[in-house]
Amino acid sequence: MLVTNTPTTPDALTRRVTHPRYPRSNGYDARWTVENQMGPHALWLLEWLAPALGLDALPPGARVLDLGCGRAMTSVFLAREYGLQVTAADLWVDPDDNAVRLAEAGVADRVLPVRAEAHDLPFAEGSFDAIVSVDSYQYFGTDDLYLPSLTRLLKPGGRIGVVVPSLREEPAGVEPPEHLVPWWEPAFWCFHTADWWRRHWTRSGAVEVEAADWLEHGWRDWLLWCEVVTEESSDDLHVQMAGRSAEMLRVDQGSALGFVRVVGRRA
């Protein structure tokens, strides 16, 4: 299948993705976000996470681990908006490729791209003032033993904050919600509720949970972004993935799917 999308004009695309809930994200080039996306709009999700995580309260130059950073859009945002020193860690994206993006964004002196697997992070205990993970933590963080191993990298009192695709209610039994069966994939079983995440983190003993909540109308943001990617992306695989997600979200209408943010503080 060949992509035959005809991109809209820059002004039209900008208007379409300008969002009243995310004023900081609105300052980023819309075409850049489309070209570097790897799922839901990462800057929107990070901007929702930021106040609960207390990013504005961190001093300039504080060290932050951006875990599962993808193409480093979130790392650029952390460096530009909050003046942070960021380690941009991802397993699948070549750090040399991210280094080019970071240099073009003017933050090469504030963001270090590295290749790292979430269970084998090459950092010393107490290395970071905060840890951020947007649309990736669900793939490794459901392990009961994972959070204590990760939060050892935080300084005492440091915070970890994540945003993950989630469910309103935990499915009973072993079957997904009936209306989602045509789109359901085994990986979706890592989607959980806010209460599930609160309990999961609390039981670990690794953090004091300060927030675990649902993004109201988050499914609408997710659907809008999927529609934009479907129409604007030049990447055939991303077009197909976004189109399939959009179909699922239109059927669901927010009854099951959305986003949860979770924030915890290391004692």
Side-chain angles (χ1 to χ4, degrees):
M1 173 180 173
L2 295 177
V3 174
T4 58
N5 289 349
T6 301
T8 58
T9 65
D11 287 347
L13 177 58
T14 297
R15 286 193 299 271
R16 189 170 183 193
V17 299
T18 295
H19 199 304
R21 188 186 290 155
Y22 310 115
R24 282 178 147 154
S25 299
N26 292 339
Y28 289 75
D29 180 74
R31 181 63 56 191
W32 180 78
T33 60
V34 169
E35 291 173 351
N36 292 298
Q37 62 81 36
M38 295 181 70
H41 198 307
L43 299 190
W44 290 352
L45 297 179
L46 178 54
E47 190 164 353
W48 178 53
L49 173 64
L53 187 56
L55 291 183
D56 276 320
L58 289 175
R63 296 192 62 196
V64 176
L65 173 62
D66 186 3
L67 182 58
C69 68
R71 290 176 175 156
M73 286 200 301
T74 48
S75 301
V76 171
F77 192 89
L78 290 165
R80 280 186 175 178
E81 301 300 319
Y82 303 101
L84 303 172
Q85 289 287 338
V86 184
T87 299
D90 198 86
L91 177 63
W92 303 114
V93 179
D94 191 319
D96 289 339
D97 292 342
N98 273 342
V100 172
R101 273 185 286 275
L102 295 166
E104 291 173 345
V107 296
D109 59 333
R110 287 172 281 167
V111 183
L112 175 66
V114 300
R115 188 189 299 278
E117 202 279 325
H119 296 86
D120 187 23
L121 298 172
F123 311 116
E125 183 169 348
S127 293
F128 299 102
D129 297 284
I131 297 173
V132 170
S133 185
V134 175
D135 188 31
S136 61
Y137 190 84
Q138 68 273 15
Y139 295 120
F140 44 80
T142 58
D143 182 341
D144 288 337
L145 304 179
Y146 184 71
L147 187 63
S149 70
L150 176 61
T151 52
R152 71 176 183 82
L153 303 181
L154 283 172
K155 296 176 181 178
R159 287 182 172 89
I160 175 173
V162 309
V163 180
V164 290
S166 299
L167 297 172
R168 282 189 183 271
E169 298 181 3
E170 290 292 320
V174 297
E175 297 298 325
E178 184 175 355
H179 67 287
L180 296 181
V181 167
W183 297 275
W184 195 265
E185 300 175 9
F188 290 177
W189 288 114
C190 70
F191 296 175
H192 293 286
T193 65
D195 286 345
W196 187 96
W197 281 107
R198 180 182 291 276
R199 183 174 63 251
H200 181 59
W201 279 25
T202 299
R203 290 192 305 192
S204 76
V207 296
E208 176 186 348
V209 178
E210 297 183 330
D213 55 355
W214 176 266
L215 177 58
E216 195 65 31
H217 305 302
W219 73 274
R220 296 182 187 274
D221 298 344
W222 193 353
L223 175 57
L224 169 62
W225 185 242
C226 286
E227 291 173 342
V228 168
V229 171
T230 300
E231 297 166 16
E232 300 291 337
S233 177
S234 60
D235 186 302
D236 188 49
L237 177 60
H238 287 171
V239 168
Q240 293 182 47
M241 293 174 63
R244 183 172 174 81
S245 294
E247 291 175 359
M248 177 176 67
L249 291 163
R250 289 190 197 103
V251 169
D252 183 60
Q253 291 288 302
S255 64
L257 295 167
F259 297 102
V260 161
R261 66 180 172 188
V262 194
V263 175
R265 181 177 59 85
R266 181 183 177 183

